[in-house]
Amino acid sequence: MTDRPLTLMAVHAHPDDEATGTGGVLARYAAEGVRTVLVTCTDGGCGDGPGGVKPGDPGHDPAAVASMRRRELQESCEVLKISALETLDYADSGMMGWPSNDAPGSFWRTPVEEGAARLAELMRHYRPDVVVTYDENGFYGHPDHIQAHRITMAALEMTELTPKVYWTTMPHSMMRRFGEIMREFNEDMPEPDPAEVAAMAEIGLPDDEITTWVDTLAFSGQKFDALAAHASQGENIFFLRMGKERFGELMGTETFLRVRDTAGADVPETDLFAGLR
C-alpha cells in the first residue's frame, strides 16, 4: 500500500470531448477523492469560430479558435473538478477527408510513436490506476479520436504500468433513445438517409456487450455545465436545449468497454475502480 491517490487518466482528442464522453465519471470520481487527470491531444482549432464561423469559411482563424477553446477547456475542468489538465497541443486534424488531415503539425499525421512517447511520460508521472480513451474507430471515425486511441494503447506498451483500460462506448438502446429525443426536439428534421442509419447502427455496442455501466446521474448537472462551458461549439447546443433534467435522463449513465483488467473484477461492473478499492 502507498499514499499515492487512486488516479483516473482520460485521454481525449479535443476540448469538449472530456465533457460529452466522460464528464460524469470525471466529476463522480473527483467527488470520491480520486485524482482525475485529463490529457487533451489537440488544440481544437478546427472547431467553430466566433459567431459559428466554420473551418474553411472566411474569417475562420484556427489560432484564435484554439485560444478560445483552451479557455473553455479550463472552465470545463474547473466545473468537473479535474485535478490536472495536460495538453499535447497538436493541431486539430478536422473531420476525416478534410485537407487539414495532412496539414503540418496535425495530430493525424503525427507519428504514433512520437505522440505515444509524450503520453507515456505523463503516464509514468501520474501512474494512473484507470485509463480511459476511445476504441480503434474513435467511436465514430474521427481521425483525432482514432489517433488518440492509437497513442494511448502504444503508450501503455511503452510503460511498466498495469492500469485497468477502458474504451468509451454507447449501448445500442441508448443510441436509439438519443435518436428519438433528437426527433422530439427537431420536429422538422427530415427522414435520415438509409446509409446514415446504417452507419449509426455501427456506432456503439449491443447492450449485452457493454462491460461497465457507471451511474453518474448525480453529477449530470456538472456534466451539463461543463458542456455549456464550450459555448463556442454549435454542436453542443442540442444537448443544452434539453435542460438539465432531460439531459440527465439521457446522459446520466456512462458506459465503457473494459479491454484490460488487472484487478480481477467481474463484469458487468458499475465502477471503473472495481477491484482496486
Side-chain angles (χ1 to χ4, degrees):
M1 298 295 290
T2 70
D3 293 331
R4 183 180 61 83
L6 284 173
T7 300
L8 166 64
M9 176 179 282
V11 183
H12 282 292
H14 312 98
D16 82 359
D17 290 333
E18 82 291 338
T20 55
T22 54
V25 292
L26 287 167
R28 169 179 164 167
Y29 290 119
E32 293 179 4
V34 171
R35 179 173 60 172
T36 53
V37 180
L38 170 63
V39 181
T40 301
C41 296
T42 80
D43 61 10
C46 285
D48 293 352
V53 177
K54 301 294 183 182
D57 287 350
H60 187 276
D61 180 351
V65 171
S67 178
M68 173 180 63
R69 297 194 73 184
R70 171 63 69 87
R71 293 191 297 271
E72 293 176 336
L73 176 61
Q74 291 168 338
E75 182 180 345
S76 173
C77 287
E78 291 174 6
V79 169
L80 297 173
K81 309 300 183 185
I82 289 172
S83 307
L85 168 64
E86 299 284 354
T87 53
L88 301 185
D89 284 329
Y90 289 107
D92 190 339
S93 309
M95 299 298 287
M96 190 67 80
W98 287 13
S100 50
N101 292 175
D102 296 315
S106 77
F107 190 37
W108 182 239
R109 70 176 289 179
T110 297
V112 169
E113 295 76 12
E114 175 191 321
R118 294 180 62 194
L119 182 57
E121 184 176 348
L122 293 174
M123 288 180 174
R124 293 187 190 102
H125 175 72
Y126 289 105
R127 304 187 69 81
D129 301 282
V130 172
V131 172
V132 175
T133 191
Y134 314 100
D135 62 21
E136 57 267 269
N137 190 47
F139 185 59
Y140 68 100
H142 193 295
D144 287 331
H145 291 225
I146 294 171
Q147 189 75 330
H149 162 85
R150 290 173 176 172
I151 74 163
T152 301
M153 302 312 291
L156 287 164
E157 293 302 315
M158 291 178 178
T159 74
E160 77 289 356
L161 304 173
T162 57
K164 296 176 76 177
V165 181
Y166 294 88
W167 296 342
T168 58
T169 190
M170 189 173 289
H172 286 166
S173 62
M174 192 179 298
M175 290 294 295
R176 289 192 295 271
R177 180 61 180 145
F178 179 70
E180 292 168 359
I181 291 178
M182 283 193 69
R183 285 188 290 274
E184 177 185 335
F185 278 83
N186 296 274
E187 295 179 357
D188 298 328
M189 189 170 68
E191 286 296 318
D193 181 271
E196 292 181 2
V197 173
M200 288 291 288
E202 296 299 316
I203 295 176
L205 290 171
D207 290 39
D208 61 1
E209 293 183 19
I210 303 290
T211 63
T212 311
W213 305 69
V214 183
D215 180 359
T216 60
L217 181 60
F219 302 92
S220 60
Q222 275 177 265
K223 181 171 179 171
F224 182 96
D225 290 341
L227 194 59
H230 297 281
S232 69
Q233 302 310 299
E235 66 267 20
N236 295 333
I237 301 303
F238 165 71
F239 293 106
L240 303 179
R241 283 176 55 202
M242 294 182 189
K244 286 187 176 181
E245 184 175 350
R246 294 296 303 278
F247 180 84
E249 291 174 12
L250 181 64
M251 309 290 277
T253 299
E254 292 183 348
T255 51
F256 305 86
L257 178 66
R258 192 178 78 190
V259 295
R260 188 165 87 180
D261 176 49
T262 54
D266 293 334
V267 292
E269 59 186 3
T270 59
D271 180 7
L272 297 178
F273 290 88
L276 295 176
R277 56 180 179 175

